[in-house]
Structures are given as structure tokens and as C-alpha cells.
Amino acid sequence: MTNTTHAEPRRTPTNWNDQAMQERIRGRYASERRFRLLGLFAVLLSAGFLAFLLVTMAANGARGFTQTEVRVEVDFAKSALFIDPAALEGFGADAALAGADIDGAVQTAVRAQYGESADGLLSDAAWLRVRDAILEDPALLNRSETFWLPARSGLDQAAKSDGSAADEQIYRQLDDQDSVRTGFNLGFLTGADATDPTVVGIWGAFKGSLFTMLVTLALAFPIGVLSAIYLEEYAPRNRWTDLIEVSINNLAAVPSIIFGLLGLAVFLNFMHLPRSAPLVGGITLALMTMPVIVIAGRNAIKSVPPSIRDAALGVGASRVQVVFHHVLPLALPGILTGTIIGMARALGETAPLLMIGMRAFIASPPGGFTEPATVLPVQIFLWSDEVSRGFVEKTSAAIIVLLAFLLAMNGLAIYLRNKFERRW
Amino acid sequence: MSLAALALLILGLGLIAWVAARAKAMSFGSTGQARQHSLPNYHGWYVALWAVLPALFFLTIWSSVSGGLVTQTVLESPAAASLPAMEMQRDAILDEARRLAEGRIDAAFNPEAEALAPIYAEATSFYSLIGSSIALLLAFAAGAFAFTRLSPTFRARTRVERLVMASLLIASLIAILTTLGIVLSLLFESLRFFSMVSPVEFLFGLNWSPQMAIRADQAGSSGAFGAIPLFWGTIFIGAIIAMIVAIPLGLMSAIYLTQYASGRVRAWMKPALEMLAGVPTVVYGYFAALTVAPAIRDFAVTIGIPGASSESALAAGLVMGIMIIPFVSSMADDSIAAVPQAMRDGSLAMGATTSETIRRVLVPAALPGVVGGVLLAVSRAIGETMIVVMAAGLAANLTANPFQSVTTVTTQIVQLLTGDQEFDSAKTLAAFALGLVLFIITLLLNIVALRVVKKYREAYD
């Protein structure tokens, strides 16, 4: 050995202080720094996109929660409005009010107060608030009353210093007279869809989402948990089980719009279930959410150590008792975490619901599972199509509400995972 | 009696059956007979299930049949003889009569409906009476039958558990049924589409304008179904532009977070990146349409690119790429973490810097996993709907200019199926053919991706 090494010419030892070597090392360290900065840049850019998105939505949306109101004094006694107070008792009230020209009375009052040019001061739906007030207290009809009514969309924008010059001027005039105010828009949280951006609300869509999610949860959770138990604990290794596993894994990766096509072809055209109903939307989303729950459930059940099962079997439990008395309770936190994440995804889903007709204009909140409804994400989509400037802030405000719910659900899932997760 | 009340009543009967059977089983122990086979609870469940399940099963069937029976009775009544023979008018009147009978409307538009309403109400109450009495009788009879079978040696637990196992099996079969439902419904409607439009024209045609002529002499609406522009648009946005954004950002983020970042940075940035995946796609779509698209159009106009559209492929692709970042990054994260520590240590011991180790050792070793992740991300991107519906256009252009408008498969599906639908027109059925293509392609991508990932995992385990 030694002879052979000595026979070859001896390598000169690396001279680390050599100029060329120093430069090469510097170069390598510089490239190391560049690479590291590149990584940091990528992370910051990705996070920056998220921050930019959230800030854009928050900046646009915060204004959606406020609205501008104009003070209008309506003297019902002097107005041309004629409504028989007796008609306002009981069932005929709606018909009686629909027949009366409340809108005209309000317009007259506005003109009397702000001059002839003030026709376009109020939102088209402002008189509805007066109508509701009369309905609540028919005695109003005999006196004069001061109302704060929603301003026209353009004026509302002007109040938020984003309107046209003409609107800004009107707003300043009104502001000097102290007859305009901007406050929290309660109607946005309690109302339903409308054609006028100043009076739209998300309660209708929210209720639709709630009904849809209830159906989804009621179907996807039991089915998902039961299949997870079967596949993980009982299924024999054969072709059928493989088929079930393959279809569950594939279903988890199928684009959501395909589920919409399925819902349209099977539930609407074949089974003739009602269109636009939370029932159909819920079933469709349940088919989509189920694989997520199955996969999460299987992982949770798999992580329960076999010793638990052996011990239960050892003291004489049957195989069903082993699973339902011992394994399932221990796996439940993991299953719940997966379920909440799956439900959060279903809550934000839009495309399949468009397919089954949940994009209709629904002006009143749904009363049941089979009534036409829309859901929050679809409502956002519908509003985003509107050309009116006032809808931009409403869309962003609805997005803020949706994101808040998703954040809360994901936060709950993380909390559950941290609190109940067990390392065996 | 309403259906819900009846179901509640049956469930109540089940509860009574459970309590009674359990009490009976408890009494077995006190009589000093032979040791029981099952615990009292199982006897309770056995009887309760017998009392509830057959009755509920009957109710489900009855509720779907009884509507037809009621209509039949009403049609046979003498008052119905004067109804118009046209089915649509007749149905409208019947529907009105039904709503009148249920008290949902106060007055009918058709005088015939007014006359039919009492008959309707009568028939409804008659059939609901029959249905409820049969259901209740069934609940009683089945419960009593099960109750008489109870004895100390009766194997109640075995029977209850058999039912539990059956329900487990049925639940897991639903996944197969769903897959089957998707495949069959897509295939069935697509076959109807292909009987009108040749598959060759659909798959290789260059012209897409799905408006069918309403009148024969109408100009410019021959209805062309060449889907190549859609496929190109989908690939251009989902597989090219989005990936140019997502692959570098996702890969570098994963490398930085796993190799360089301190524990605290990772603990904050990793959930932040995952949040990108949790934002609903409709929010991304709105963001793309409201903020990104106008900015890109202005930019294109400033640098003088002709044909810049406010619904550019670039805007949709860019935002979709952002959405995809967490998918790429988490797959890359997993596969880099799966590279054995010995390989990294070996490289570092040879004097390589961290970045050299990553570039020369870790990434090549993790490459199959990364490729699998990218394929999954592509399949996700081409199936994505809302971003392209809101930010990409409807014009089926065959262009490589990212500032122009292109359209995608998913956009067209939404476009074709919203609005008025007639299920015998090629326009509506085309959506299902597009859906079938989308389904097959995403399925293939997923299978290939999983195979690549799996093969790679086996190499190191």
C-alpha cells in the first residue's frame, strides 16, 4: 500500500490562502447567500400575496358594513297618503300597504325638505323602511315622524370619499345641515339579496349556507365515519375492498364541478328533486366531503394502537364492541378535525352549486330545506357580476364574513387537534 | 298527520320498546335461570330496531307513492271530468288545487282548482290516514314479534351486531355508487351528445361556438363544437402560467422552510402558506377580476402589447398559481423530508454548502415526489372553476399571448349549463362531454402522480 502511494507524484496540499481558492470560496458562500435569500423571498412573496389579498378585501369590505342615511321628516297627517289604520290589523296589512303610495309620500317629503333637485337623494328601496315602521306602529299615520333612510348608492360612495364630484358636493351640503349620517349597516347582516346595493344583506345567503351545511353534515359525517371504520377495521383484503379504496381516493381528487354535473344529471333530471334547494346542494356537497372525512377518519383510527384492541378482545368484548366502545372514542378527535376541515371546504365551494341552480336571485331568506336558496360563496359570485359601484364593497364585505367563518372553523380544528391529539 | 310527526311517533315507540325489552331482559337475571347470552341493552336495541326500521322503511316508500295515489283519486272524481285534456294545463290546475288544499294560498286563479281543492284535501287525509295506520301497525306488530322472541338464551347481541356490520358495508359502498353515478351520468349524456356531434370534430375541431341556430335561416350560429381552443386555454392557464408561478415559489418556500428557517419562523409561515389553500376559490376569482386583471391590462397597454384584454389569461393563471403554491410546497416538503438523513450528512461532510447539498443531492433525490406533487397540482388547476369563470374570458381564442383572453373547459361548462336548459340540445349536452374529458384527464393525472410518488417511496424505505 505505502509503496504504491509513494510511487505516484505527491499531491500538493490545498493552499487555502491562495488567491484563486479564496475567490472560489467567496463565490460559493455568495451563492449560498443568494440561494437562501431566494428562498426567503419566495416565502415572503407567497405570504405577501396572502396579506395583499386580505388587506384588499378588508379595505374594500370594511366600508360595506357602514351605510349613509339621510334624515327625512315625513308628516303623514298632511301627506296624500291614505291608509285605513283598521286595515293594518291582521292579514290584510301587506295588501293595504302595497296599495298605498308610500314611496310617493316619502319623495314628497324629501322634496319639501331639500328642494326640487333632491329627487335622487334616497335609495330606491328607502320607502320599505317607512313601510315597516308603519306596519309596526300604525299610530304613526296621524303624526309627523323623523326617519333616517338609506341614501342612494352614489351618495353613499361620496360619504366614503369615493364618489363623483357632484355627489361629493351634495354630500357636503347635507353634512353642513347635519341631515346625513354614516353608521353601522345592520341591514347588511339581517337582509337578503336585492337589486339595490344600499339595502342588500347576507342573512338570506347565510341561512341558505346553514341549511346546506346541515344536510351535508347529516349525510357526510355518519357515512364517512362508518366507511372509515369498515375499511380500517373489518374489510377483508379482496377485490371489492380495493375497489372501494380506489374510488374513495379518486373521489377526493375529482374536480368539484364534476360533482355539480352529477347533481344536475342524477338529482335534478333523474330524481326530480327541487331546483336551487339546500337539500340538493347539501347532498351534492356531502358526496364531495365524504371522501375527505373517510381519509381523515382512517388515519385517526389507524393511529389508535393495536394494544387497545387486543386488551378489549382479551376481556371478552366482541369485535363490534371493541370498535364502538374503545377505538372510536379514541379516534374521535382526529375524525372531528378532519370533518371540520372538510366542512370548511364545502362551505367555500361555489362551482357545483352553480350547476344545480343555486345562483337564482333569492330576495327572501329560505324557510326550509326544499325552498329556493343561495349560499354565501354563490352570493359573492352573483354580486361580483353586478356593474353598480356599490356592490364592490358589499361583495368584499360578504367575503370578509365568509373568511371569518372559515378562519373560525379552521381555528377550531387546530384547537381540537392540539388539545386532544395523543401520542401513543 | 304530517310525515315528520309520524316519524317522531315511531321513534317514540322505538324508545318505549327499548325500555320495555331492556326491563324484560333485566328480569331474566333475577329469576335465577341460566346465564343470559346478551346484555339487557342488546335486547333493548334488538326490539327497538324491529319496531322502528320496518315502519320507517314503509313510510319512505309510502311517501313516494301516496302523491300519485292522491292525484289518481282526484282525477277519477266527477269534478275532475271537466279538466282540460292538455297535460300541462291539467297539472297546473292540480298543483294549484293542492296548494289550496294545504292552505298555502288563499284563493285560486282557476275556478276548477277551487272545486278540486276539497276533493284533494279529502283524498290526502284519506291516504295519509291509511299510511299512518299501516306504519303504526307495522311498528307495533314487528316490535311485539321481536319482544316475544326474547329469552335468556336469545342471541340479541349477535343480531344487533349483524345489522351494524351491514350498515358499515352499505356506508362504504356509497363511495362506489358515487363514482359509478359520475361515470354513468357523464357517459350517458356524452353519448347523446356524440350522436349529434362527431367525436372527431369535438376532439380535434378548432372552432368553438356552441350557439345553436334557433331558426333555420339564422346567420352565424351554426353551432361549432371543436374543443381544441378550450383544451389549449385550460392548459395555457392551468398547466403553464399557473405552474410558472407555483413551481418556483412553492419549491423554494418548501426548501427555505425545511432547510433554513428557524423553528419560530416555520411555526408561523407554514400555517400562513396553508391558509392560501383554505381561501375559497370564489374569493380568488373576485381578487383576480377586481384587482389583478385591470392592473395587468394597464401594464400591457403601457408596454404597448396589442390585443390586451381585461380578461387576460395571465390574470387568471397568476392568481391560480398563487392558489396552487401550498399544494406544491407541501408535496415538496414531504418528499424532501423523506430523503434519508445519511445522504444529506454525506454531502455536508464532503464540504458542500447547504445550498449545494440541496441543489445537488436533496432535490434530485426528491425529484419524483416533487414531480408527483406538480402533477397533482396541475390536475387541481385544470379542474379549478371559479377563478377562470370570473377572471378568464369566454372568447375561444387559440393564442399564446398571455395578455389576450382565452377560455377554459370549466368556464364553458358553467356557461353552457346556466341560463335556459333544454336537455335535448347539443349545447347543453356538450357540457357533459367536456366534463367527461375533464374527469378522464384529472383521473389519469392523479393515477400517474400517485404511481410516481409510490415508486419513489419504495426506493428509500
Side-chain angles (χ1 to χ4, degrees):
Chain A
M1 279 295 277
T2 22
N3 284 341
T4 49
T5 34
H6 277 288
E8 282 176 21
R10 189 183 280 263
R11 257 184 75 185
T12 42
T14 312
N15 180 9
W16 294 92
N17 295 323
D18 182 24
Q19 180 73 28
M21 190 53 115
Q22 281 290 329
E23 229 149 66
R24 212 157 76 199
I25 293 175
R26 260 203 300 279
R28 284 173 65 197
Y29 281 158
S31 118
E32 166 75 23
R33 270 196 303 278
R34 275 199 302 276
F35 191 74
R36 192 187 167 128
L37 281 178
L38 211 62
L40 185 62
F41 176 70
V43 173
L44 290 182
L45 195 61
S46 311
F49 278 132
L50 180 69
F52 182 52
L53 182 122
L54 294 181
V55 167
T56 314
M57 293 304 152
N60 280 330
R63 299 190 322 202
F65 290 106
T66 61
Q67 76 173 350
T68 308
E69 292 171 321
V70 180
R71 192 183 51 179
V72 179
E73 212 168 323
V74 186
D75 192 349
F76 290 104
K78 279 191 209 147
S79 75
L81 203 59
F82 179 74
I83 304 173
D84 180 12
L88 291 179
E89 309 291 330
F91 286 117
D94 283 338
L97 284 176
D101 186 19
I102 299 178
D103 195 13
V106 173
Q107 292 295 343
T108 320
V110 171
R111 248 173 255 153
Q113 209 168 333
Y114 300 105
E116 285 298 321
S117 62
D119 268 359
L121 215 53
L122 294 182
S123 149
D124 288 343
W127 64 277
L128 290 174
R129 204 178 278 189
V130 178
R131 185 195 64 180
D132 292 344
I134 296 176
L135 205 57
E136 210 162 88
D137 180 17
L140 276 182
L141 290 173
N142 304 322
R143 57 185 154 94
S144 155
E145 175 78 12
T146 308
F147 290 98
W148 286 96
L149 299 177
R152 176 169 53 85
S153 187
L155 205 58
D156 189 37
Q157 295 297 322
K160 296 159 184 171
S161 41
D162 194 24
S164 65
D167 283 334
E168 298 249 9
Q169 199 187 345
I170 297 175
Y171 174 72
R172 259 190 311 252
Q173 272 175 13
L174 288 174
D175 202 22
D176 290 343
Q177 301 169 21
D178 249 353
S179 47
V180 65
R181 71 174 184 194
T182 302
F184 182 68
N185 185 0
L186 193 66
F188 183 69
L189 294 181
T190 56
D193 199 3
T195 45
D196 190 320
T198 52
V199 291
V200 295
I202 53 165
W203 176 242
F206 181 78
K207 218 172 159 192
S209 270
L210 196 70
F211 281 134
T212 311
M213 286 299 109
L214 277 180
V215 176
T216 305
L217 187 65
L219 288 174
F221 183 67
I223 295 176
V225 173
L226 291 181
S227 348
I229 291 175
Y230 179 75
L231 289 176
E232 205 52 48
E233 295 285 336
Y234 300 116
R237 295 277 127 223
N238 61 23
R239 203 173 295 165
W240 276 104
T241 311
D242 285 348
L243 197 62
I244 296 175
E245 286 192 12
V246 168
S247 31
I248 285 178
N249 289 336
N250 282 335
L251 282 181
V254 167
S256 60
I257 193 167
I258 301 285
F259 285 96
L261 290 177
L262 170 78
L264 175 61
V266 174
F267 301 136
L268 294 189
N269 290 341
F270 182 69
M271 289 162 73
H272 295 291
L273 292 175
R275 264 184 92 79
S276 310
L279 179 70
V280 182
I283 299 175
T284 310
L285 290 182
L287 295 180
M288 219 182 80
T289 313
M290 190 207 37
V292 180
I293 298 180
V294 174
I295 292 171
R298 289 188 67 173
N299 287 334
I301 292 173
K302 208 182 284 175
S303 69
V304 176
S307 58
I308 303 273
R309 298 181 184 82
D310 296 342
L313 283 172
V315 296
S318 73
R319 286 179 64 202
V320 172
Q321 285 170 332
V322 169
V323 169
F324 282 87
H325 294 179
H326 302 281
V327 177
L328 196 56
L330 290 174
L332 210 54
I335 298 177
L336 284 183
T337 309
T339 306
I340 295 173
I341 289 172
M343 293 299 290
R345 194 186 292 176
L347 178 61
E349 199 53 73
T350 319
L353 300 178
L354 292 182
M355 298 286 94
I356 56 167
M358 287 185 93
R359 62 178 288 166
F361 175 78
I362 312 284
S364 60
F369 290 104
T370 51
E371 284 176 30
T374 187
V375 296
L376 269 180
V378 178
Q379 187 73 77
I380 291 169
F381 172 64
L382 291 175
W383 284 350
S384 75
D385 260 2
E386 298 278 348
V387 280
S388 161
R389 189 77 184 80
F391 270 107
V392 172
E393 58 179 39
K394 299 297 173 191
T395 313
S396 305
I399 286 177
I400 290 178
V401 173
L402 180 64
L403 285 180
F405 269 95
L406 292 180
L407 209 62
M409 285 172 81
N410 283 312
L412 183 66
I414 292 171
Y415 172 76
L416 276 179
R417 191 171 60 198
N418 290 344
K419 186 161 167 86
F420 294 106
E421 193 183 40
R422 273 167 95 161
R423 298 239 173 262
W424 298 93
Chain B
M1 200 184 306
S2 84
L3 211 62
L6 195 58
L8 269 183
L9 189 66
I10 291 173
L11 286 182
L13 274 179
L15 187 67
I16 294 171
W18 188 83
V19 171
R22 193 167 172 275
K24 186 179 175 187
M26 297 273 249
S27 72
F28 292 150
S30 59
T31 51
Q33 285 166 326
R35 206 165 150 269
Q36 307 181 49
H37 172 267
S38 306
L39 291 171
N41 269 350
Y42 283 100
H43 287 95
W45 279 116
Y46 177 72
V47 177
L49 288 174
W50 262 109
V52 169
L53 288 186
L56 284 188
F57 183 66
F58 169 79
L59 264 191
T60 356
I61 293 181
W62 184 257
S63 63
S64 59
V65 175
S66 64
L69 286 176
V70 168
T71 315
Q72 189 73 24
T73 318
V74 172
L75 283 180
E76 279 166 7
S77 68
S82 60
L83 281 182
M86 259 268 290
E87 201 160 321
M88 237 166 72
Q89 288 178 8
R90 204 180 58 190
D91 284 351
I93 294 175
L94 282 178
D95 189 50
E96 206 171 359
R98 185 164 49 82
R99 281 189 291 165
L100 204 57
E102 286 168 6
R104 281 200 282 167
I105 48 175
D106 295 334
F109 178 71
N110 284 305
E112 283 111 325
E114 202 85 61
L116 282 178
I119 307 175
Y120 227 117
E122 198 180 322
T124 312
S125 69
F126 174 69
Y127 278 108
S128 94
L129 188 69
I130 290 188
S132 349
S133 29
I134 295 182
L136 287 180
L137 214 62
L138 207 58
F140 267 116
F145 161 74
F147 194 77
T148 57
R149 295 187 65 184
L150 299 187
S151 74
T153 52
F154 181 66
R155 305 172 85 81
R157 178 175 59 78
T158 325
R159 280 153 203 276
V160 172
E161 288 186 349
R162 209 175 288 161
L163 188 86
V164 171
M165 292 299 281
S167 60
L168 290 183
L169 185 61
I170 291 171
S172 52
L173 285 181
I174 288 183
I176 293 191
L177 283 183
T178 311
T179 311
L180 212 64
I182 289 178
V183 172
L184 285 185
S185 59
L186 290 181
L187 264 185
F188 184 68
E189 307 283 357
S190 301
L191 283 180
R192 281 173 63 195
F193 172 71
F194 287 129
S195 68
M196 298 180 210
V197 177
S198 100
V200 177
E201 192 208 321
F202 176 70
L203 288 177
F204 301 107
L206 295 178
N207 190 9
W208 176 267
S209 65
Q211 273 68 39
M212 292 301 276
I214 299 167
R215 300 187 316 271
D217 58 333
Q218 203 170 359
S221 51
S222 50
F225 290 95
I228 287 286
L230 310 191
F231 297 151
W232 164 246
T234 309
I235 293 171
F236 192 41
I237 291 181
I240 298 177
I241 300 177
M243 288 305 132
I244 288 176
V245 176
I247 294 175
L249 283 179
L251 196 57
M252 285 310 289
S253 301
I255 288 173
Y256 185 79
L257 288 180
T258 55
Q259 307 296 324
Y260 289 111
S262 66
R264 273 187 48 194
V265 172
R266 188 162 53 236
W268 280 100
M269 294 314 279
K270 212 168 142 59
L273 285 194
E274 277 164 9
M275 258 178 79
L276 277 174
V279 174
T281 53
V282 67
V283 177
Y284 280 118
Y286 185 60
F287 179 64
L290 185 78
T291 312
V292 181
I296 285 178
R297 191 209 37 220
D298 293 347
F299 172 73
V301 168
T302 335
I303 62 170
I305 287 177
S309 159
S310 64
E311 296 178 321
S312 58
L314 190 58
L318 203 66
V319 173
M320 194 182 281
I322 297 171
M323 187 196 83
I324 295 291
I325 288 173
F327 292 93
V328 177
S329 116
S330 80
M331 287 299 284
D333 195 334
D334 287 351
S335 42
I336 289 175
V339 175
Q341 184 69 23
M343 289 177 75
R344 187 185 7 219
D345 290 348
S347 168
L348 290 173
M350 296 293 288
T353 60
T354 318
S355 70
E356 284 161 354
T357 307
I358 292 166
R359 273 181 298 188
R360 305 271 166 80
V361 178
L362 291 187
V363 170
L367 201 58
V370 174
V371 170
V374 168
L375 288 182
L376 283 181
V378 169
S379 111
R380 179 106 195 172
I382 64 177
E384 171 45 48
T385 310
M386 292 322 291
I387 294 177
V388 285
V389 165
M390 292 163 87
L394 291 171
N397 291 328
L398 202 54
T399 171
N401 178 358
F403 294 101
Q404 264 195 353
S405 162
V406 295
T407 190
T408 71
V409 172
T410 46
T411 315
Q412 288 298 324
I413 294 178
V414 170
Q415 198 56 34
L416 293 173
L417 284 181
T418 49
D420 48 324
Q421 298 173 4
E422 283 174 35
F423 269 82
D424 43 8
S425 83
K427 186 187 162 204
T428 308
L429 293 174
F432 285 89
L434 289 175
L436 184 67
V437 173
L438 186 65
F439 180 70
I440 292 174
I441 289 179
T442 51
L443 201 64
L444 286 179
L445 275 173
N446 280 306
I447 291 173
V448 171
L450 287 179
R451 188 147 297 176
V452 168
V453 172
K454 209 172 179 181
K455 209 169 181 179
Y456 157 75
R457 289 244 167 89
E458 280 162 6
Y460 284 118
D461 278 347

